[in-house]
Amino acid sequence: MIEAREVCLKYADGTEALKNVNVKIENGDIVYVTGPSGSGKTSLLKLFMGIEYPTSGSLTVLGQPISKGQTSGINKLRRTIGPVFQQFRLIKGRTALENVMLGMRFLDFNKDEIMENSKASLKNVGLEDKISSLVENLSWGECQRVAIARALARKPALILADEPTGNLDRDNAVRILHLLTGLKDKKTTVIITTHATHLIDGKKGDMLIHIDKGSICYERLE
Amino acid sequence: MKGWNKSDMKKTIYNMGYFLNETKTIIKTDLLSNIFSLLCMVLIFFILSLIIAVWRISMYEVKVIEKDAQISVYYDLNLDNNSQAQLVENIKSISGVNEVYMVGKDEAYKRMQEILGDDAQVLEFFDNNPFSPFLEVTIKLDNMNPILESLNKLEGVDFVRDNRQVLSHIKSIVNMISLLGFLFITAAGISTVVIISHIIGMGIQSNIEQVNTLKLLGAPKNFIAFPFLLEGLLLTISGGLISSAFGSLTLSYIYSKMSGPIPFLPLPPIGKLISNLIILLICISAVLGTAGSIFGLSSSREKV
């Protein structure tokens, strides 16, 4: 569960990224975060990952308080998260498979599970024929799918996907969103930020968070 | 490696291939710096190997000299044969005396001729043999003082010449070599730690994106740091191995050169000397590599 109470985030340069955020996300929820560019979507995910700390208010992610002095706990929390970064953060000079495996090497998987999960995840995102390709030789869309495969292979309790369909064509975008929202059955919480509101195929109970200039409003789909 | 358990160990073992690959990539990223660091390591460990070798040889010399410590006992020349034999028996009965050998006038003359070598012709200026007969007494060095006391009390003994001065000279030389060796080992240790920590700092800087990504994925510090630790170890152990090869060749050469002109100088067996030196250098390089890597990692702890 993620619970934010009166959370504010102000960057060192004075930019107020988030204002008085109050939200409660249950385990297994599918959450779409929408809003214009620069509205604070990525900042919200950064808070959930413990990359930024709330300037005021309290935030708990999967039972872990997000605040300064919680480095060790936050590091452990990150092992239960499957992050999809806007800039992918893939390791150059390594193949797609190596990148996916790298995200699992320090988790509680054995050698065979690492290999099987990684290959299965790459297959799920439609990259089974690119497993041996170096990531610098892949297109942006393919890199994005490798990043998604890396997040999925970790079998995380929480997926934080920042614009996961931003570089994909419509068919692949639909496929990826379907793949991510399908994790609801496995009680995985999925939080997706997106511009592409037209692609959202929300189901009953899914949460829709809209951010504008750091303020949020949310609703549960009926 | 705080808080390591069996599972972490297992993960490290099956990730060893990955760690080695990462280390290779880190080295390739800063290849030139790594090559120069390796050359520095080789040079430092080579000089260290020579100093250690000289120190071990000196220690061996002292041991050999101490083992065969001899003193010369000059006796009253008016003693008859029976009294001389009695004196020998009396000396043999002193605790700590291993052997007593009677050196006659002629043998003393011959020995001096051998010592002087080409300059022995100086002895021809004497009309008569100028040397006196004496008793050569081999003793345990630790008992030198009580033996000298007992000898001086014996009837018929004129005076005793010991080699204490020579021994103390050699001992002070060895002490100086040990001190120099210690100072050099300290200097080599500090230089190695600084070089390795610097190269690791550079490696982390060059791979900062990867380090940050791993941190965001929740990788433990040990997992992120291990390839850098391996880099430090690889550099120092390679340096240790290469320098021990050079050191062995140099020692073999020195031994071959020394056996001709100074054959009487007792030298330790070269095989044992070299094998001990290689083991010692590898151990020192591994310890310094680990220390340098840990120092480098802790200097960059905010990045890792």
Side-chain angles (χ1 to χ4, degrees):
Chain A
M1 189 173 76
I2 299 173
E3 192 169 12
R5 284 185 187 166
E6 296 297 324
V7 167
C8 295
L9 175 64
K10 201 173 183 179
Y11 288 113
D13 65 355
T15 310
E16 214 171 6
L18 293 166
K19 295 172 204 164
N20 304 321
V21 174
N22 287 291
V23 70
K24 195 173 179 181
I25 299 167
E26 299 291 343
N27 291 343
D29 273 352
I30 302 294
V31 182
Y32 298 97
V33 183
T34 62
S37 186
S39 58
K41 301 189 294 293
T42 301
S43 295
L44 188 67
L45 292 200
K46 280 183 175 174
L47 277 178
F48 290 167
M49 268 201 81
I51 299 172
E52 299 290 346
Y53 306 124
T55 320
S56 62
S58 74
L59 173 64
T60 311
V61 178
L62 304 177
Q64 171 62 47
I66 305 293
S67 60
K68 277 184 187 170
Q70 294 283 340
T71 325
S72 169
I74 288 172
N75 205 38
K76 280 182 188 154
L77 166 74
R78 285 177 184 168
R79 289 174 213 161
T80 63
I81 296 175
V84 181
F85 303 102
Q86 211 169 14
Q87 300 300 322
F88 321 137
R89 284 192 170 273
L90 299 176
I91 312 295
K92 286 175 191 162
R94 275 53 159 205
T95 64
L97 183 66
E98 283 167 345
N99 264 280
V100 177
M101 286 171 74
L102 179 58
M104 302 173 71
R105 287 192 182 276
F106 43 87
L107 303 179
D108 289 327
F109 293 102
N110 64 38
K111 207 176 176 181
D112 296 334
E113 285 172 330
I114 291 175
M115 184 58 82
E116 282 165 22
N117 284 9
S118 302
K119 282 184 176 172
S121 289
L122 282 165
K123 193 179 175 189
N124 283 339
V125 296
L127 287 176
E128 62 268 42
D129 55 338
K130 301 275 184 176
I131 57 171
S132 303
S133 302
L134 292 174
V135 289
E136 50 266 46
N137 296 335
L138 299 177
S139 69
W140 275 71
E142 286 168 333
C143 283
Q144 190 150 37
R145 282 188 281 162
V146 174
I148 292 163
R150 181 176 65 189
L152 295 174
R154 286 155 63 92
K155 303 225 177 289
L158 168 66
I159 287 206
L160 296 174
D162 198 0
E163 300 281 1
T165 56
N167 296 286
L168 304 180
D169 56 62
R170 191 187 158 81
D171 286 349
N172 270 316
V174 170
R175 178 183 184 165
I176 293 300
L177 283 177
H178 184 70
L179 195 63
L180 291 174
T181 53
L183 293 170
K184 187 184 176 82
D185 303 334
K186 293 176 183 168
K187 288 282 170 203
T188 305
T189 309
V190 181
I191 302 177
I192 304 166
T193 71
T194 183
H195 278 106
T197 45
H198 59 283
L199 292 175
I200 295 173
D201 180 24
K203 295 188 172 60
K204 189 182 172 187
D206 289 352
M207 187 184 264
L208 196 63
I209 296 178
H210 184 75
I211 307 186
D212 193 14
K213 292 176 185 165
S215 300
I216 78 162
C217 57
Y218 61 91
E219 59 174 319
R220 291 247 175 220
L221 297 179
E222 297 294 329
Chain B
M1 304 284 174
K2 201 169 62 177
W4 261 39
N5 54 33
K6 211 175 166 184
S7 154
D8 289 330
M9 193 61 80
K10 213 171 157 186
K11 270 185 228 167
T12 307
I13 291 167
Y14 74 65
N15 277 328
M16 200 45 87
Y18 159 79
F19 289 135
L20 289 171
N21 244 341
E22 285 305 298
T23 307
K24 200 173 87 183
T25 311
I26 292 165
I27 291 174
K28 270 163 78 179
T29 315
D30 271 323
L31 190 59
L32 209 60
S33 305
N34 277 283
I35 288 173
F36 278 115
S37 302
L38 180 63
L39 289 177
C40 284
M41 295 294 106
V42 171
L43 197 63
I44 288 171
F45 290 131
F46 175 65
I47 299 172
L48 190 63
S49 72
L50 293 185
I51 287 180
I52 292 171
V54 169
W55 175 66
R56 288 193 80 102
I57 290 171
S58 317
M59 291 298 284
Y60 183 82
E61 302 293 321
V62 169
K63 263 193 184 168
V64 168
I65 291 167
E66 279 183 348
K67 197 176 155 193
D68 293 329
Q70 284 175 344
I71 52 177
S72 308
V73 177
Y74 290 86
Y75 52 88
D76 184 353
L77 294 175
N78 297 320
L79 288 180
D80 58 29
N81 285 350
N82 281 344
S83 305
Q84 283 179 21
Q86 186 56 49
L87 181 62
V88 169
E89 288 309 312
N90 289 343
I91 294 173
K92 275 184 181 172
S93 65
I94 297 171
S95 160
V97 170
N98 293 334
E99 206 180 331
V100 181
Y101 178 71
M102 194 172 273
V103 180
K105 272 182 83 131
D106 292 342
E107 193 176 347
Y109 187 87
K110 267 185 194 170
R111 282 187 181 188
M112 188 49 76
Q113 270 184 322
E114 276 171 23
I115 292 169
L116 292 173
D118 291 343
D119 298 325
Q121 57 200 17
V122 75
L123 295 173
E124 288 166 13
F125 290 110
F126 293 99
D127 293 334
N128 297 315
N129 181 351
F131 300 104
S132 305
F134 64 95
L135 297 171
E136 194 174 70
V137 183
T138 308
I139 59 162
K140 286 180 188 158
L141 196 74
D142 296 341
N143 297 351
M144 183 178 265
N145 285 335
I147 291 171
L148 288 175
E149 252 176 56
S150 305
L151 283 172
N152 284 317
K153 280 180 195 165
L154 285 177
E155 211 172 302
V157 171
D158 266 356
F159 74 95
V160 179
R161 197 174 69 197
D162 60 68
N163 300 318
R164 237 189 306 203
Q165 269 188 322
V166 179
L167 273 169
S168 69
H169 267 302
I170 293 174
K171 273 193 170 174
S172 59
I173 291 170
V174 171
N175 285 343
M176 197 180 282
I177 292 171
S178 302
L179 180 70
L180 280 175
F182 178 74
L183 287 177
F184 188 81
I185 288 173
T186 311
I190 293 170
S191 314
T192 307
V193 167
V194 169
I195 292 169
I196 294 299
S197 66
H198 181 67
I199 197 84
I200 282 180
M202 280 172 63
I204 291 170
Q205 198 52 49
S206 305
N207 292 279
I208 196 71
E209 264 192 56
Q210 182 176 341
V211 169
N212 283 338
T213 301
L214 284 169
K215 279 165 78 176
L216 290 174
L217 291 170
K221 282 187 176 187
N222 292 340
F223 182 88
I224 301 174
F226 205 75
F228 296 102
L229 186 85
L230 280 182
E231 182 194 13
L233 272 176
L234 203 71
L235 281 175
T236 49
I237 291 178
S238 308
L241 280 171
I242 297 170
S243 61
S244 55
F246 281 134
S248 307
L249 288 173
T250 311
L251 277 176
S252 303
Y253 178 76
I254 293 171
Y255 260 60
S256 68
K257 289 287 163 193
M258 278 171 88
S259 60
I262 31 180
F264 56 83
L265 192 73
L267 291 170
I270 188 155
K272 201 178 171 195
L273 180 72
I274 288 177
S275 59
N276 284 347
L277 194 67
I278 292 173
I279 293 168
L280 192 66
L281 273 182
I282 291 171
C283 291
I284 290 177
S285 59
V287 169
L288 289 178
T290 312
S293 305
I294 290 171
F295 185 65
L297 286 165
S298 55
S299 306
S300 311
R301 65 179 175 275
E302 280 184 18
K303 291 174 190 160
V304 179

